[in-house]
Amino acid sequence: MSTTKGEHDLSIEKVSQRAQDIEGKLPKLKTLFEQGKIMLGMVKDYWNGSYREVPYWAISAVSLALLYVLNPADVLPDVLLGVGYLDDATVVAFCLKLVQREIERYQEWVAAKTKGGGGKVVDV
């Protein structure tokens, strides 16, 4: 019984020692989540016609990546605890690399729209 406890203690010690590495990865996951929300916003704005300054291949890539995330029956089913979302994160990360410049342009457009009051013209 002490062997099992000893192995358990070694595992906890290993996690404790690697805490800085683990903490370093958490912001990356948060960033990926935030970028996913930006991708979704770009698709919504494209669909409603307010943002059309994106090449068709880029909006298609973003749409397909987001559809993959929504599909529960993908390469690693989402019900597998711990690993079910790894393939989703990989697809989103790859898509972000592919369309990075288009995402940046979209963010600039959103910032300009927000700064300019949404582009509304008030006639006095």
Side-chain angles (χ1 to χ4, degrees), residues 19-64:
Q20 190 172 8
D21 294 338
I22 293 168
E23 288 174 3
K25 291 183 181 186
L26 292 177
K28 293 177 185 174
L29 293 175
K30 183 179 178 184
T31 301
L32 188 62
F33 177 72
E34 293 298 322
Q35 291 292 319
K37 288 181 4 183
I38 292 168
M39 291 167 62
L40 184 59
M42 186 168 78
V43 170
K44 286 180 178 180
D45 285 338
Y46 182 86
W47 182 252
N48 70 26
S50 60
Y51 182 73
R52 294 292 179 137
E53 303 300 318
V54 60
Y56 189 73
W57 66 267
I59 200 70
S60 297
V62 169
S63 297
L64 289 173

Side-chain angles (χ1 to χ4, degrees), residues 39-115:
M39 291 167 62
L40 184 59
M42 186 168 78
V43 170
K44 286 180 178 180
D45 285 338
Y46 182 86
W47 182 252
N48 70 26
S50 60
Y51 182 73
R52 294 292 179 137
E53 303 300 318
V54 60
Y56 189 73
W57 66 267
I59 200 70
S60 297
V62 169
S63 297
L64 289 173
L66 293 174
L67 285 173
Y68 184 85
V69 169
L70 288 174
N71 185 3
D74 46 25
V75 175
L76 293 174
D78 295 342
V79 295
L80 296 176
L81 296 177
V83 296
Y85 295 106
L86 288 178
D87 60 325
D88 296 343
T90 302
V91 168
V92 170
F94 177 75
C95 183
L96 284 169
K97 288 289 186 188
L98 184 66
V99 298
Q100 182 175 2
R101 179 62 191 133
E102 297 305 323
I103 295 289
E104 290 168 0
R105 288 178 60 206
Y106 173 71
Q107 288 178 296
E108 291 168 3
W109 177 81
V110 169
K113 185 176 95 167
T114 303
K115 184 178 178 182

